């Protein structure tokens, strides 16, 4: 029987899974590991550790030392390095690993999406689409847009970004979930004519897509990286609970 579960990530799904396990299986030890990149993270139920493990070797050592029986990688869909580390550590230790990934967004009629493979590709495309950009890729993604000339970037992030930064920049410090009325106001007040987002999926940050569609604005959508090969993927907290129940 599973006695100790490690949850990787501070996402909405990770917190929901931790809460569900605390309510349904109180005897289970649940440890949530947060990267520590947000100054004041929303803490989940159960035990919490903050900071990295020191690569896949460090994570494997932690799994052994803490007698972990299962790992759920519920990191952000774009946390590719951590997902790779988790896959390598799980393979080295034989600990079962599940990737919990909320589905990506799907365009609907009226959307003007431009899908790209990376933030660098998004930055290269922007000059052909607009001059006032709402950038919602997080503070660590702003550097890819630092060399843009002739564009004003309105960057939204939880914590202040660090250099390099675009020469013409407005920073909005905010944290989702966001409302449709709020997103409409942001687009209008800042005279946004193009939006950049990662395909994070989920409802918390989706209203910007609706607001952009209403205004007929182009949206540059950065595709998410795939989960590591061989790692099973659950699309919901419920599916992750079923996987854990079968361990």
């Amino acid at each position: 029987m599973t006695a100790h579960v490690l949850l990787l990530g501070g996402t909405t799904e990770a917190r929901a899974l931790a809460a569900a396990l605390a309510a349904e299986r109180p005897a289970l030890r649940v440890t949530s590991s947060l990267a520590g990149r947000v100054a004041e993270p929303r803490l989940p139920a159960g035990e919490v550790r903050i900071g990295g493990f020191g690569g896949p070797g460090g994570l494997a050592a932690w799994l052994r030392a803490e007698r972990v029986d299962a790992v759920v990688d519920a990191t952000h869909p774009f946390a590719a390095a951590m997902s790779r580390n988790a896959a390598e550590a799980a393979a080295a230790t034989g600990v079962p690993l599940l990737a919990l990934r909320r589905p990506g967004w799907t365009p609907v009629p009226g959307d003007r999406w431009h899908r790209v493979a990376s933030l660098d590709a998004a930055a290269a495309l922007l000059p052909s689409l607009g001059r006032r950009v709402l950038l919602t890729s997080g503070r660590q993604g702003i550097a890819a847009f630092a060399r843009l000339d002739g564009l004003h970037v309105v960057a939204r992030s939880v914590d202040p970004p660090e250099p390099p930064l675009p020469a013409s920049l407005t920073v909005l410090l905010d944290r989702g979930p966001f409302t449709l009325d709020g997103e409409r106001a942001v687009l209008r007040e800042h005279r946004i004519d193009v939006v950049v987002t990662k395909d994070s999926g989920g409802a918390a940050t989706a209203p910007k897509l609706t607001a952009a569609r209403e205004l007929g604005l182009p949206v540059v959508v950065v595709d998410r990286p795939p989960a590591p090969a061989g790692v099973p993927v659950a699309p919901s907290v419920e599916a992750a609970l079923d996987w854990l129940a079968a361990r």
Side-chain angles (χ1 to χ4, degrees):
M1 178 180 295
T2 300
H4 187 190
V5 175
L6 173 65
L7 304 183
L8 300 173
T11 58
T12 300
E13 290 76 19
R15 291 192 298 273
L17 180 55
L21 290 172
E24 298 176 13
R25 300 174 63 178
L28 180 68
R29 180 185 175 194
V30 178
T31 303
S32 295
S33 178
L34 311 183
R37 292 173 179 168
V38 176
E40 297 182 6
R42 293 170 176 166
L43 298 180
E47 298 179 30
V48 177
R49 71 173 302 280
I50 296 178
F53 290 93
L59 176 54
W62 197 91
L63 296 179
R64 294 188 185 99
E66 298 297 324
R67 300 180 181 274
V68 173
D69 299 290
V71 179
V72 177
D73 172 15
T75 55
H76 190 276
F78 283 81
M82 187 65 240
S83 293
R84 287 193 301 270
N85 289 348
E88 291 183 29
T93 58
V95 175
L97 169 66
L98 176 74
L100 173 54
R101 294 286 184 272
R102 56 183 179 255
W105 291 313
T106 302
V108 300
D111 282 328
R112 297 175 56 198
W113 286 15
H114 300 263
R115 286 194 174 275
V116 295
S118 66
L119 289 173
D120 288 336
L125 182 61
L126 277 180
S128 67
L129 297 177
R131 287 293 178 266
R132 296 188 63 84
V133 184
L134 175 62
L135 177 61
T136 63
S137 60
R139 66 185 180 93
Q140 292 184 314
I142 296 177
F145 302 84
R147 296 184 180 180
L148 289 178
D149 292 324
L151 276 67
H152 181 73
V153 176
V154 178
R156 184 164 63 195
S157 61
V158 176
D159 294 316
E162 298 178 355
L165 301 171
S168 183
L169 174 68
T170 298
V171 176
L172 302 179
L173 296 181
D174 205 352
R175 185 201 307 253
F178 300 102
T179 66
L180 180 54
D181 284 343
E183 297 295 61
R184 288 168 176 155
V186 167
L187 296 180
R188 291 195 174 102
E189 290 171 10
H190 294 276
R191 295 174 287 121
I192 299 300
D193 56 17
V194 58
V195 177
V196 177
T197 182
K198 293 178 177 178
D199 185 10
S200 301
T205 59
K208 65 190 169 193
L209 302 174
T210 303
R213 182 169 62 250
E214 290 177 349
L215 294 174
L217 302 183
V219 179
V220 181
V221 180
V222 181
D223 287 331
R224 60 174 63 178
V231 176
V233 178
S236 66
V237 170
E238 292 74 20
L241 287 169
D242 290 342
W243 182 84
L244 285 169
R247 302 272 70 76

